[in-house]
Amino acid sequence: PAHGLGRCQGKNTFAGGLTKFGRNDLMTDQPPLIDVAIPTCDRPELLRRAIASVRASTLTRWRMTISDDGRVKLGADFLKEFNDPRIQYRAHVATGMVHDNWDSACRAGTAPYVFKLDDDDTIEPEFLKLTSTFLEKNPDVSVVYTGYTVLLNGREKKIIDRHFFANRGTVSGLEYARAILLNEDYPWTHKSAGVFRRKKADDIQWYKFARMDVTFSIALAIGSCVGYLPEPLFNYYRRAADQRDA
């Protein structure tokens, strides 16, 4: 079946409360399907770009939590320029540990699916729709990744996994974790670009122990299945200091 649908093969610390503003016509009668968590730190222009990419989504049933870890807080008034009630803002008390802000941003919602979007990256309009549909049709999958585009100095490179997943839309989580840990047939997924089930994240206690994207992706995989969509729907803006794409 298309995209391998079916069984697989093989401490919240806030300085203030929740704030949101916006037009009622952007709300739907249905609860959000995906919580988009954007941890941010002193990069307002990049954050605006990330927010714009989510607002361009073909799926409208999302809610966004911006968790602000910056030295200079953007403040609740930052939301007024978007006039979108699906976006909420929290000022996070900086702890010096980036995963604390990740944890706070991701735990803030209630939707069944969660996506952590770094404030310097973006998504394509179909990203939320296709990943949420995949999870709905594949109850054994705890996290789904997509192909992605690396952008650096005006150049683009599409990264599509054709060796580990090959033509498989789903793989066993144990196989995925083993490939990463042993660095054998390493999956070409961007480890921070997965849409995952809230229930699974609750089970592994979010980022309490898995404090890096790669270890979190392994923890999500264990005991379930991992999904993959080859379409390059995630945009990774690479920094010159980064050493590899995957």
Side-chain angles (χ1 to χ4, degrees):
H3 298 313
L5 301 180
R7 296 185 62 83
C8 72
Q9 304 166 9
K11 108 190 156 181
N12 290 337
T13 308
F14 294 114
L18 175 73
T19 305
K20 55 185 177 182
F21 298 97
R23 295 161 36 196
N24 291 331
D25 63 306
L26 292 175
M27 299 296 288
T28 69
D29 293 333
Q30 297 176 304
L33 190 60
I34 297 183
D35 278 310
V36 180
I38 305 186
T40 189
C41 183
D42 295 326
R43 298 194 289 197
E45 292 308 315
L46 295 179
L47 174 61
R48 287 183 174 93
R49 183 181 67 187
I51 293 172
S53 75
V54 176
R55 296 188 72 216
S57 296
T58 55
L59 178 79
T60 59
R61 289 180 58 195
W62 54 264
R63 173 177 48 205
M64 181 188 301
T65 298
I66 299 168
S67 184
D68 186 355
D69 201 27
R71 294 182 179 180
V72 179
K73 303 298 185 190
L74 293 170
D77 284 349
F78 176 75
L79 298 188
K80 292 181 179 179
E81 65 183 79
F82 305 105
N83 194 28
D84 193 329
R86 298 170 296 180
I87 305 174
Q88 53 195 26
Y89 171 89
R90 292 175 182 259
H92 183 262
V93 177
T95 64
M97 304 296 288
V98 66
H99 65 267
D100 283 343
N101 199 24
W102 295 354
D103 197 84
S104 295
C106 290
R107 287 178 185 261
T110 58
Y113 310 137
V114 184
F115 172 57
K116 178 177 72 69
L117 176 62
D118 291 338
D119 64 359
D120 57 342
D121 294 324
T122 63
I123 58 174
E124 294 297 315
E126 290 290 305
F127 178 89
L128 297 181
K129 181 178 180 180
L130 293 180
T131 52
S132 62
T133 298
F134 190 99
L135 290 173
E136 287 183 313
K137 293 184 177 181
N138 291 271
D140 294 329
V141 170
S142 61
V143 57
V144 57
Y145 299 93
T146 75
Y148 64 101
T149 302
V150 178
L151 299 102
L152 176 65
N153 298 329
R155 294 177 296 168
E156 297 184 2
K157 181 180 180 181
K158 306 292 184 185
I159 306 295
I160 299 174
D161 184 288
R162 303 188 188 280
H163 64 286
F164 178 77
F165 286 94
N167 294 321
R168 301 178 297 174
T170 61
V171 299
S172 77
L174 184 60
E175 180 184 357
Y176 180 84
R178 183 183 185 279
I180 294 175
L181 290 170
L182 299 181
N183 197 24
E184 294 179 356
D185 202 22
Y186 195 88
W188 286 2
T189 55
H190 196 287
K191 306 305 180 288
S192 69
V195 176
F196 55 90
R197 296 185 188 276
R198 178 173 297 277
K199 176 61 169 62
K200 180 67 177 185
D202 283 336
D203 291 343
I204 64 175
Q205 300 186 58
W206 298 82
Y207 292 95
K208 182 177 181 180
F209 303 109
R211 297 184 174 185
M212 298 187 298
D213 285 323
V214 65
T215 53
F216 187 67
S217 72
I218 292 171
L220 287 173
I222 297 297
S224 57
C225 303
V226 176
Y228 184 70
L229 294 167
E231 295 87 348
L233 301 174
F234 176 78
N235 300 312
Y236 169 49
Y237 289 81
R238 184 177 177 183
R239 296 172 293 276
D242 292 339
Q243 297 300 309
R244 69 182 183 187
D245 298 331

